[in-house]
Amino acid sequence: MKEKPTPYRLLADENTSHRFVAACRRLVNESAIVHIATWEDGSWLGLDDAALLIACAEHGLVLVAFDRATLPWHAGQVLRAGESHGGLVLFRRSVRSTDYGYQARLLTGFWTNDGEQWDWRNRVVYLPKSPDDQRRPFAKPGSAPSAFGLAR
Amino acid sequence: MHSVHNTEVMSSAYVSGRVPARYERLVAKQARAARTSKSDLVARYVIEKSLETEFPGISFRDSLSGREAYLTGHRVAVWEVVAVHEEAKTVEKTAEHFRWPRVLVRRALAYAKAFPDEIGRSREGETDTLPVAG
């Protein structure tokens, strides 16, 4: 019998706020996202980027973070080393660190419309697609998913 | 490998010291792995360890733009704390953002105040979105 694939969950990195996670949980299923400080009693906080990306792949977690060029660079290094990462969702610089509501709307809109169904292994997505897309994230349910950039 | 502090543009001084031979071999091996000279690696170790002692709670790690200061035991770089503080305006609100004790924010800001150019370079180096390589 073929096993049903385990659904992916979102892991918010430490450069995101608990307030962002709380805002997401008000908009989608609470179990869809967890902050790294509370995941596994915070024991993953000390992991470097490469170790975290590999651990996420092992646990079916998609890492959500603010875009640091270093993080996708490490994702590339993980791939070149023959490992896999569990996927990355990166907020572009146009997204303010403290705009928790906007971050939550961007992420949950994308996740509900598309991301939840995807195979996330080694996939990287930027939210929104461009700075021009700021403040127009998934305004209408069912509309074309235009507010994200994709790289794989 | 970039240094945290660019010794090429600042006045430099000579530091020497004796270590057991096994540590010399260890440093030599690490220098080869990092594709740098033993003296440059020792200089980096001296600089970073002395800064870690001077600024408790600050450590250094590799980043795309070179070595960067971050909060020990956490995944957040000093420049990221500075960025949030610029938006939040206060230490209290910044600490609330990360759900940290205020002392961690103050430590990051103290380091950033002491080395504004380095923090600015780190921030700038992380700003450009990198095409993903596989």
Side-chain angles (χ1 to χ4, degrees):
Chain A
M1 193 173 108
K2 196 174 177 182
E3 276 188 37
K4 193 179 175 186
T6 309
Y8 282 93
R9 296 177 69 194
L10 298 162
L11 182 72
D13 202 357
E14 202 181 3
N15 60 10
T16 67
S17 177
H18 298 266
R19 289 182 160 201
F20 153 66
V21 172
C24 288
R25 289 180 155 204
R26 283 193 290 272
L27 296 171
V28 291
N29 177 3
E30 282 206 2
S31 64
I33 184 165
V34 62
H35 195 273
I36 192 170
T38 52
W39 174 255
E40 298 287 347
D41 295 326
S43 62
W44 286 26
L45 284 173
L47 293 182
D48 59 60
D49 284 350
L52 178 62
L53 288 165
I54 293 167
C56 282
E58 291 168 350
H59 287 75
L61 293 166
V62 179
L63 188 63
V64 181
F66 279 91
D67 180 24
R68 289 188 293 119
T70 295
L71 202 49
W73 175 55
H74 278 137
Q77 286 190 318
V78 164
L79 292 180
R80 283 189 290 276
E83 301 268 8
S84 290
H85 65 81
L88 271 173
V89 176
L90 298 169
F91 288 119
R92 290 189 186 278
R93 294 296 158 144
S94 57
V95 180
R96 287 167 55 89
S97 303
T98 54
D99 199 345
Y100 311 121
Y102 175 54
Q103 294 161 19
R105 289 193 299 278
L106 263 182
L107 181 66
T108 59
F110 160 66
W111 189 251
T112 305
N113 287 329
D114 291 277
E116 201 172 15
Q117 315 299 325
W118 290 1
D119 173 7
W120 273 92
R121 193 155 291 243
N122 302 330
R123 196 185 284 254
V124 181
V125 165
Y126 291 90
L127 295 177
K129 184 177 181 181
S130 77
D132 298 337
D133 289 322
Q134 194 168 13
R135 298 290 173 192
R136 292 191 282 110
F138 297 97
K140 295 173 187 170
S143 63
S146 59
F148 58 91
L150 169 65
R152 194 172 189 184
Chain B
M1 179 59 61
H2 302 267
S3 288
V4 169
H5 297 275
N6 189 349
T7 50
E8 288 172 9
V9 295
M10 61 174 75
S11 65
S12 61
Y14 188 75
V15 174
S16 70
R18 296 196 70 79
V19 295
R22 63 185 294 195
Y23 294 107
E24 186 279 332
R25 290 195 296 272
L26 184 60
V27 170
K29 187 178 85 174
Q30 291 174 351
R32 282 195 300 276
R35 293 185 183 141
T36 188
S37 69
K38 196 170 68 175
S39 62
D40 279 355
L41 187 62
V42 168
R44 192 182 94 188
Y45 286 170
V46 168
I47 290 168
E48 291 186 358
K49 194 63 201 172
S50 62
L51 287 174
E52 286 172 5
T53 304
E54 192 70 14
F55 295 89
I58 300 295
S59 297
F60 297 90
R61 64 185 179 191
D62 286 336
S63 77
L64 194 57
S65 55
R67 301 284 290 174
E68 75 175 3
Y70 74 103
L71 279 296
T72 310
H74 294 270
R75 291 186 34 75
V76 181
V78 168
W79 71 263
E80 291 180 296
V81 179
V82 171
V84 172
H85 183 257
E86 279 178 11
E87 288 183 26
K89 308 292 185 200
T90 67
V91 169
E92 288 72 19
K93 286 179 181 172
T94 307
E96 197 178 296
H97 172 96
F98 292 109
R99 204 178 275 177
W100 284 350
R102 289 191 291 272
V103 63
L104 282 188
V105 175
R106 286 198 297 269
R107 283 176 167 182
L109 296 179
Y111 184 86
K113 188 178 177 185
F115 299 103
D117 293 345
E118 174 203 319
I119 296 305
R121 278 197 305 274
S122 289
R123 191 172 178 178
E124 202 172 298
E126 293 286 346
T127 299
D128 295 328
T129 297
L130 188 74
V132 178

